Amino acid sequence: MDSLDARILLALDDDPDATTLALAHRLGIARNTLHARLQRMRASGALRDFSRRVDPAALGRGLIAFVSVSVSQTQGRRAVTALYELPEVIEIHSTTGDADFLLKVAARDTHDLHRIADALLAVPDIVRTSTVISLNEEMPLRMRALLEAHADA
């Protein structure tokens, strides 16, 4: 990703409903250039799905928890595949340390979180979990500051 790509993403962040022509005009580039760069960023995974912007609370899943998961050292990949089947698991990160994965889960309430925890423990090869409930999101995921720094580079 170069500085023009970062400027394109900042312009989209400023006005997500802008047309390709309006964005190209604002950035001073050809519409075809903009379109090609957006396609390349989508294909490479640099530009992720729009659904990542949805607040889980809007879907009735306002309780966010982080679950450390330890898996059997011989079959860990099978556990990840099974975790993809649980819609409440909204992120999975491989980690170092005592746990193998850190999951971000979205639940309705503590009773729902308990159900999700039971479902996690039922996944083959998961041997232990530890759950921490988020009390408040002090800072949501932010990329703008990184994009601005990249655009200025």
Side-chain angles (χ1 to χ4, degrees), residues 10 19 21 23 30 46 62 73 79 91 115 151:
L10 287 167
T19 65
L21 185 60
L23 285 174
Q73 295 302 302
E91 286 185 41
R115 177 192 59 80

Side-chain angles (χ1 to χ4, degrees), residues 38 50 141 143:
L38 287 171
F50 186 80
L141 174 69
M143 296 304 298

